[in-house]
Amino acid sequence: MRRIFTVIVLVMAVLLTSCSEKYDLEELKIRDRAAYSGWHARQSSGYRGDLRDFRYVDVTYYSNGKGKHEMDQKASYMVFESSSDARSYYNIWKDYCLSKTEEENQSGANWFISRQPDTYDMIAYTMYYLEWNVIICADVELTYYSTENGGTSTVGVSGSEGNQIKNYILENHAKLRDNVMKMLTK
């Protein structure tokens, strides 16, 4: 009985792995510029050591000075070739972020919030949500600092606005992933 169970589990694992869709990153572009005005997609890769080999399409909304109005426009989207690539990147990045901060972080099964490492002119707490082959990123708290004029600070994202963004992503992550993939595929 135990062998039969083991065989069934192995067969299911193989079937689930083979069902995972792969995307050609070179083909992922904003398909309908008129319908998705303000959205931009560019090829990118991880910026530090063990993430440099990861390639993804970075999808971001630029408002051209008009401000971001919709919740989905406040996030950026890292679109990977496969869900396994996204999961690997996410795990490495999560370990790195959490090792660089001594503060308490929030996290769940497929998401975490951490202070952005390696930043010096701002304090940013960013949420990362892994949804299949997409990592949804959004600042949930952001303060900029300047040494000009005796030193000033500017709040870019307040705590209350950040909570709205966080809750929106937690409630709509599947829809957000579907929307960004619809933008990029035929």
Side-chain angles (χ1 to χ4, degrees):
M1 185 67 169
R2 190 173 177 169
R3 283 187 188 176
I4 292 172
F5 179 73
T6 303
V7 169
I8 290 172
V9 169
L10 288 173
V11 168
M12 293 301 290
V14 168
L15 288 175
L16 288 174
T17 303
S18 65
C19 291
S20 130
E21 196 166 358
K22 285 203 170 223
Y23 297 92
D24 181 355
L25 296 180
E26 298 297 324
E27 295 293 318
L28 296 180
K29 296 176 178 26
I30 305 291
R31 297 294 172 192
D32 185 348
R33 284 269 172 223
Y36 300 110
S37 176
W39 286 97
H40 302 276
R42 67 179 177 86
Q43 298 286 323
S44 196
S45 63
Y47 77 92
R48 53 173 297 281
D50 47 357
L51 296 174
R52 283 196 180 115
D53 292 336
F54 286 94
R55 304 280 180 251
Y56 58 90
V57 174
D58 185 30
V59 181
T60 308
Y61 182 81
Y62 298 116
S63 62
N64 296 327
K66 298 175 188 168
K68 294 183 178 184
H69 304 287
E70 302 297 325
M71 284 288 191
D72 65 330
Q73 296 170 342
K74 295 180 182 194
S76 61
Y77 306 85
M78 300 166 67
V79 181
F80 291 84
E81 179 181 71
S82 67
S83 58
S84 63
D85 284 354
R87 168 76 58 192
S88 295
Y89 186 99
Y90 173 87
N91 287 335
I92 293 168
W93 183 244
K94 181 178 180 181
D95 290 345
Y96 179 72
C97 287
L98 299 183
S99 73
K100 292 293 185 180
T101 183
E102 296 172 7
E103 299 169 31
E104 187 173 328
N105 299 284
Q106 298 178 41
S107 65
N110 287 330
W111 66 275
F112 72 97
I113 295 174
S114 176
R115 183 170 173 177
Q116 190 72 273
D118 307 324
T119 58
Y120 305 101
D121 58 348
M122 67 180 182
I123 295 176
Y125 288 87
T126 304
M127 178 178 191
Y128 299 92
Y129 196 105
L130 175 64
E131 180 69 22
W132 292 99
N133 67 313
V134 175
I135 299 175
I136 303 165
C137 311
D139 290 329
V140 294
E141 194 171 327
L142 179 62
T143 303
Y144 297 99
Y145 292 96
S146 172
T147 57
E148 296 177 4
N149 300 324
T152 59
S153 65
T154 306
V155 174
V157 178
S158 69
S160 62
E161 181 184 8
N163 279 331
Q164 290 175 344
I165 295 167
K166 172 190 162 191
N167 291 333
Y168 182 78
I169 292 171
L170 289 174
E171 294 169 6
N172 297 288
H173 52 86
K175 182 180 95 173
L176 292 170
R177 187 246 177 217
D178 290 346
N179 289 346
V180 79
M181 292 310 295
K182 191 185 306 178
M183 260 188 252
L184 300 174
T185 56
K186 295 176 185 176

